[in-house]
Amino acid sequence: MKLDRLISQHLQCGRKAARDKLQSKLVRVNGHVECDSSRLIELFDHVSLGDDAIQALSPRYLALHKPGGYVSATIDSEHPTVIDLINEPWADQLHLAGRLDRYTTGLVILTNDSRFSESLTQPESEIPKTYCVQTDIPITEEAVTAFKAGMPFAKEGIYTQPAEVQWSPENSPRSCTLTIFEGKHHQVKRMFSRFGIKVIRLHRESIATISLGNLREGDYRALSDVEVSAALESRKKTR
Ligand code: URA
């Protein structure tokens, strides 16, 4: 949005009055006096008029270890949401970069930066997401072969990207680590159910280079600059 528009909205005055205000040299953008009414203001630019903050949003990027029972939504009338776990005054600014089912545990990314959430969720970016899966009956070679080859998802009209599977049938026939490269609704459960196998526990360990590490259930941490820029970088590559 242009600077004069932002000021006119804030002061509820016309654009001409807003431009006059700019000439008073009281408006600062990111700490510097700004008189150019056509200056484009981005979401995270800090704008002040004298001592009055007109726009002071800071970018936020969090990794949360979602416990079972919490819904991946910002508001829900029946169940606790992941936002309820964020003990910050700016928690209500956040949205999710990809959801988990209510009883799926593990890594969820929360942010107020839509460029960032897009970079993690847009299908073309093929962001890897790694899950630990436990099933009701032994996983079969047939299922693993199909996951690795990619399989049709008729509802979406796609073929899934070849998944990566770590599975040791001799040691743990009913569990595996699965990495998928898209995020379709109930994707992992649907992949297994195609072979008559039910997923009884699902836990997300990582998204791209962002891992849960030793974050405890219900806890969250800020993403590092390296984690944020790597995700934004991956978005640029797919443009
Ligand atoms: N796949 C699923 O089936 N559920 C999830 O929560 C995430 C991936």
Side-chain angles (χ1 to χ4, degrees), residues 34-105:
E34 181 60 87
C35 301
D36 180 1
S37 57
S38 61
R39 161 97 182 245
L40 281 178
I41 301 299
E42 306 284 347
L43 184 63
F44 298 119
D45 283 333
H46 284 217
V47 183
S48 61
L49 174 60
D51 293 334
D52 192 9
I54 294 182
Q55 174 173 288
L57 200 60
S58 300
R60 313 282 182 187
Y61 309 99
L62 297 182
L64 166 74
H65 186 161
K66 177 183 138 11
Y70 284 75
V71 290
S72 294
T74 50
I75 304 174
D76 191 281
S77 54
E78 282 179 61
H79 309 291
T81 74
V82 290
I83 297 290
D84 296 331
L85 295 164
I86 310 299
N87 188 18
E88 305 291 344
W90 35 263
D92 63 351
Q93 292 170 10
L94 301 172
H95 63 268
L96 287 124
R99 292 157 189 271
L100 290 178
D101 295 338
R102 180 143 73 104
Y103 287 105
T104 302
T105 58

Side-chain angles (χ1 to χ4, degrees), residues 200-218:
I200 55 170
R201 183 159 191 269
L202 187 57
H203 176 80
R204 183 154 69 192
E205 265 303 319
S206 63
I207 301 172
T209 57
I210 305 164
S211 306
L212 209 48
N214 49 16
L215 202 59
R216 287 183 313 190
E217 247 191 16

